[in-house]
Every structure is written in structure tokens, then in C-alpha cells.
Amino acid sequence: MYWTLPTATFFISIFLMLCGMLVWELVSPTIERSGFLIISTTRGTRFFLGLLGSAFIHLAWLGFTDLSLWIALPISAVWMIIVMRWG
Amino acid sequence: MKIKKKTIGLLIYFVILVLPIYWMLNMSLRSNADILASFSLYPRDITFVNYMKILTDSSWYMGYVNSMLYVFMNTVISLSFALPAAYAFSRYRFLGDGQMFFWLLTNRMAPAAVFALPFFQLYSTIGLLDTHIAVALAHCLFNVPLAVWILEGFMSGIPKEIDETAFIDGYKFPRFFITIFIPLIRAGVGVTAFFCFMFSWVELLFARTLTVTAAKPISAIMTRTISATGLDYGLLAAAGILTIIPGALVIWFVRNHLAKGFALGRV
Amino acid sequence: MDKWQDNKAWFLVLPVFVIVAFSALIPLMTVVNYSVQDIFGPGEAVFVGTEWFKEMLANKRLHDALLRQFLFSGLVLLIEIPLGILIALAMPKKGWGVSTSLVILALPLLIPWNVIGTIWIIFTRPDIGLFGVGINSLHLLEVPFDHTATPLYAWITVMLMEVWHWTPLVALLAYAGLRAIPEAYYQAARIDGASPWATFWYIQLPKMRGVLTIAVLLRWMDSFLIYAEPFVLTGGGPGNSTTFLSIYLVKIALLQFDLGPGAAFSLIYFLIVLLFSFIFYQVLQRVGKGEKG
């Protein structure tokens, strides 16, 4: 499968995040609510939107700028927090 | 005479719908030389030469056998896996049920082209390349989610009290599920099987990518023929007509089920 | 219906999870691994970071294919949805005509996708096809009809094929929606002396909302993934005029065997589809809730 260190790190961190979500869900179950996204969302949905949004932020960064991709990472993290908190 | 106009319109549409198929039938009954020599709206000298060639040449007719085999395997696998899962989704709330359902559906919508290459690598690694089961398993990627989706709809239409009564009567789950529940949603199982058959039968990309010779489906053999023998339109048309027949037969047998499924507003 | 709360239900879902994960997750991981490496041969790969993504995002042909794809899927919806509704309205409501119509309608849906392409090659060729010969014998067109030579004609042929192939699905769904309307509604409309147009606009169309949403989303998604039919019919040509996303992807990944760029392209394509899938799912759920509540 041609594993490399960066891709392995990527998948392990996604997996750890999923485990974290699972534990969080067991400790305090989610309540459905609607924030600035029009739809009503659960915590899992917001997490998914956060990840998907981060992917698109990285792609846009790569497509439109020549700056280092590392800058896109904190931007994605901010997006993730916004979605999780107010989404 | 409003109704009459409507019916005439519908008839015209049906004629247009059938016309391309008729044209292929017309071509399949003529020899290639005849097709290229003269233009004719119907076959003047009907010949079954093209059909004879396909039905006597094993590299052709084995294609049909291969297609049938993996479609059948896929339908059985999809149904037997999807039935319990659909029951779980229709009856229970559990951790991550919404996410799970969504994830299943995304696979139904994933572009086959994205998966074609890694599938080839995966199946050659585990040594399943060029087998019927490989294609059947690959088609599960979109058929299992679809089956879960359709079956869940049918199961939700069955009141939960039936389950409760059966459990009070001392039925264990497997026995209840097989002897009581599945017969209740017979029509739904029929409709689901039909859709699994249909999507597995019409798919080309996986089937072509994952097979070399031993399990090559008829549709892939046809594509190869286009490039290999130049263009033998008569032969190509005959092969095409033969691929339509199984589908037409299946739809004829399930047409009443289908009408019922449609009446339930759930397909 | 209130559902039972029980995490043991996972045991029923587990087999499905395993079989789909086997077919979905392993290939996905493989694609991610390919997308950041330059692979020369078996076991020989060099890490190149995000280079392939950058290359693909700047790829002019990919942009063109994406635009073409949106245009195609948009046109598909504009033509197939109204046509499908019209057909559903014209279909008989009872008697032997019902199952006959259903069978005829379902026929194109059961033909293998590449055979659809073959049918349309045979049907539209300017030398032997009924459509090709017919339209050229009318002498209406400035340039003789030949879908292998003129991009516009290639587009028309692909559109015709697509409409021929999939409008029946829309019609079947719309018909299912119409059948679900209770007779009482029509009686009420008749008593009020409503015109057929008013009946359609105020009763039939709102009642079909659910199935029509499904039809729109299914047609959008599936036309976005179209591969076999145009591949057989035009091979993406003439030039690149009918090269849609899937055709271009297969060209890169399987035919040129450029694993890295192909994988990067796959992931970008997959992300776009994932976004649509999410919207699809949300809308479907909303429609479902609207019907029950």
C-alpha cells in the first residue's frame, strides 16, 4: 500500500480524533441543535463538516496561493473550532 | 378529447424509446456486409449468423455465464448482509447510527473511477483478481448501501408491535427474523433484489478492471471486440440484444411487485 | 415511531460495516498514499508531498472537464425532470396498460451501460444509423451530422442518449408519487371545478415533492459520475469535447498509469462528491421528516 510517515500520521490522527469523539459521546451524549449552519446538527455532523471544510481549505490554499501549506493548518483548526462551537 | 391526446403522446414517446433498441435488433439480424452495403429499415434477408457465432464460440458465451454468476453472487451477498443491518437501522437507535447510515450512502455515490485503480491493486494482492467473487465483492460497495436504504424503508412500514408480540411469545431473534419478519416484507426483498441485480448487471468499470479472461463479463468482451475486429456491427448488435434479454425477463417477472412497491411510494 | 435505544444493534450492522469498509476504506487509504508519492514501479516510490495536488489543481484540462461536467449535469436536470413528469402524468392509472408501461419504461434502465453506448453508435452513425441517415437525408443541417467529427453533434448525441436512458427513471419515480395521492383529493378538485392545470399545480406537484427531490438528487449525482456510456459512444472526443470527469480520471489513472496524479485527482473528485452527498443526505432527511410530520 506504499505507506509513508506523513500519510500514516494523517490516518492515525483521524483515527484518534474519531476515538476521542466516541469517548466524548459516551461521557456526555450530544444534543441536536442548530447554529449558524441552517440545518440542525449533532456533534458528529459538525465534526464531519469541520473535516470536510478543512480539506477544502487546504485545497484552496494549494490552488490559489504559493505559500507554505502549514499556514492552512491553523486556519483549518480555527474553522474546526468555529464549527464545533457555534455550528 | 383530452385523454386521447395524452395517450397518443405517450405512445409516441414509447415508440421513440423502443426505436434505438429496434434498430439494434434490425442490425443483429443482418450480416455485416449487408449492413454496410445497403440502408434498410427492416432486415430483408434475416440471418441468424451473428447469434450462431456468439452461442457457439465459448469466448463469447462464457461472457454471459460470467456476468450471470457474479450478478447472482452479488445479489445474494448484498441481501444477506443488508437484511439484518436494515432491521437495526429501522428499529434501534445506537451510537453513531446517523453517521453510519450517511457513510454507507456516500459509498453509493462515490465515483467508481476513483476506486478502480486501488481495487485492482487490492485484489491482485490478495490473489482474487480475475475471479467472479472479486467482481461480486466490488459491486457490494454500491449495492449493499442501496439494499440497506430500500429495505429500511420497507421495514419501517411494519409496526413495531409485531416484533414485541413475537418476543413476548418467546421467539428468539433469528427465528423471529427469518420465519415472521422476512415474509412480511417479501415485496420489499423482491424489489431490493431487482435493484441489486440491475445495478450489478449494468456496471462496467469494476467488472472490466477486475477481470482478465476467466471471469470476463459480456459487456467487457463487447468493448474488446470493437477494437479487435474492426467494426462488425452485426455481431456487436447481436451481443447487445442478448444482454438486454435477462434484464427484460427479470423486469417481466417482478412487474407486479414493482407496481406494488411504487404504490407504497418507496423505491 | 420511537426506536429502541440499544447499542447491541451494532452486531447487526457489523457485517455490513466490515464488507463495505473492506471495499471502501482500504482503497481510500491506498489512494491517499499514492497521491503523495511518485511511483516508478513495484516498490519504488519517492515522497513528493503535495506536488501532484498542485499540478492537478492547476491542470487546465481538469478545469475544462469540471465545467463540462457541471454543464452536462445541469442540462440533464433541465430536460429530464419536466419530461419525466409529463410522461408520468400521461401514464394510465389502471388496467393492463400500467404494467406494460412500467416494463417498457424500465427497459433502458436494465441495459448494461456500455451496451447503451453501442446502441447509440449503431443508431446515430451517418452511414448505417437510422437517426444519422434520417437527419442527413432531410438536408437541414449545414454540416452533415456526424458525432465523431463535430463537438456540437457529439454533445447532442450524448445528451440524447442520456435523456433516452434516464428519463424513464424520473418518470417511474414521478409516477410512484402520483399513485400515492389519495383519490379524495381529485374528487375535491372536481367539485371545486378546478382546471387540469390548477389540479397539477396545487395538488399533484406539491404531493410529488418528495419523490421529485429524490429524482433530482439521484440524477444530479449519477450524471456527475457518468463514465461508460459517453466513453463507448465518443471516447471523450472529438478532441476533448465530451471528456467528463470520470473519463479524464480513468485516462490518467488506468490508461497512462500515472498513479500519483491520478490519485490526487481522485481525492479532489471524491471531496467534491462528498460535499454533494452531504447536501443530498440533508435534503433527503428533511423531505422525509416533512412527509411524516
Side-chain angles (χ1 to χ4, degrees), chain B:
Chain B
M1 291 307 279
K2 186 92 184 72
I3 296 161
K4 202 136 192 213
K5 231 197 282 176
K6 247 200 225 172
T7 315
I8 291 170
L10 191 68
L11 282 178
I12 293 173
Y13 174 74
F14 281 162
V15 168
I16 296 173
L17 202 65
V18 174
L19 211 54
I21 302 176
Y22 163 73
W23 196 249
M24 191 158 78
L25 184 67
N26 173 10
M27 290 290 158
S28 74
L29 294 171
R30 302 165 63 185
S31 69
N32 202 41
D34 182 27
I35 290 169
L36 294 174
S38 64
F39 182 80
S40 163
L41 289 179
Y42 58 93
R44 287 210 177 81
D45 311 302
I46 292 182
T47 164
F48 290 98
V49 131
N50 300 314
Y51 290 98
M52 289 310 291
K53 172 146 198 237
I54 291 170
L55 294 175
T56 51
D57 182 349
S58 74
S59 71
W60 271 103
Y61 68 72
M62 277 317 285
Y64 289 98
V65 178
N66 292 334
S67 295
M68 297 282 194
L69 266 175
Y70 71 69
V71 168
F72 175 72
M73 285 181 189
N74 172 266
T75 308
V76 171
I77 298 174
S78 300
L79 274 179
S80 47
F81 278 72
L83 274 167
Y87 181 82
F89 281 118
S90 81
R91 291 296 194 254
Y92 293 100
R93 300 174 63 82
F94 49 92
L95 204 59
D97 51 355
Q99 279 78 14
M100 182 73 193
F101 203 63
F102 172 65
W103 175 70
L104 282 177
L105 279 184
T106 59
N107 291 310
R108 167 75 186 82
M109 298 162 206
V114 170
F115 288 108
L117 177 66
F119 261 34
F120 180 81
Q121 310 268 355
L122 174 65
Y123 283 107
S124 52
T125 311
I126 55 179
L128 279 180
L129 205 63
D130 205 18
T131 59
H132 302 99
I133 194 75
V135 184
L137 278 177
H139 284 179
C140 283
L141 182 65
F142 49 83
N143 266 349
V144 168
L146 184 79
V148 172
W149 190 30
I150 299 177
L151 284 173
E152 196 264 346
F154 276 100
M155 288 178 180
S156 297
I158 307 283
K160 224 169 50 172
E161 284 69 29
I162 291 180
D163 310 30
E164 280 160 354
T165 321
F167 292 141
I168 291 167
D169 288 349
Y171 275 91
K172 286 271 178 297
F173 175 74
R175 190 158 155 241
F176 156 74
F177 195 64
I178 292 164
T179 60
I180 298 180
F181 197 74
I182 291 182
L184 277 177
I185 52 155
R186 225 175 19 232
V189 176
V191 171
T192 313
F194 165 72
F195 273 90
C196 288
F197 166 87
M198 164 176 149
F199 280 109
S200 183
W201 179 253
V202 298
E203 206 276 340
L204 168 75
L205 193 54
F206 285 153
R208 197 188 61 182
T209 311
L210 295 178
T211 54
V212 187
T213 47
K216 208 156 190 62
I218 183 60
S219 39
I221 291 174
M222 283 180 66
T223 345
R224 186 202 59 189
T225 312
I226 296 177
S227 49
T229 57
L231 285 160
D232 188 341
Y233 290 109
L235 194 62
L236 202 60
I241 289 293
L242 288 175
T243 62
I244 299 179
I245 291 172
L249 282 179
V250 169
I251 184 107
W252 184 254
F253 284 124
V254 298
R255 69 187 189 285
N256 291 325
H257 273 302
L258 213 59
K260 231 181 273 168
F262 277 120
L264 289 171
R266 187 77 211 194
V267 164

Side-chain angles (χ1 to χ4, degrees), chain C residues 61 64-65 68-69 71-72 147-155 158 230 234-244 247 251:
Chain C
R61 291 181 59 191
D64 291 346
R68 224 173 271 136
Q69 190 71 66
L71 181 64
F72 178 74
H147 67 72
T148 57
T150 320
L152 179 67
Y153 294 153
W155 260 84
V158 173
T234 64
N240 286 316
S241 57
T242 52
T243 301
F244 300 111
I247 296 181
K251 231 178 231 176

Side-chain angles (χ1 to χ4, degrees), chain C residues 199-272:
Chain C
T199 314
F200 172 70
W201 194 249
Y202 294 107
I203 297 177
Q204 292 173 320
L205 199 59
K207 281 281 164 189
M208 278 195 289
R209 205 188 49 152
V211 281
L212 283 184
T213 316
I214 296 175
V216 167
L217 295 166
L218 269 182
R219 284 317 305 134
W220 171 265
M221 294 302 308
D222 285 352
S223 64
F224 209 81
L225 312 178
I226 190 167
Y227 171 74
E229 303 98 309
F231 175 74
V232 172
L233 182 62
T234 64
N240 286 316
S241 57
T242 52
T243 301
F244 300 111
L245 277 181
S246 280
I247 296 181
Y248 189 39
L249 174 56
V250 172
K251 231 178 231 176
I252 294 180
L254 288 178
L255 302 181
Q256 299 175 1
F257 230 65
D258 282 342
L259 297 181
F265 184 178
S266 296
L267 285 175
I268 297 170
Y269 193 178
F270 188 61
L271 282 173
I272 296 173

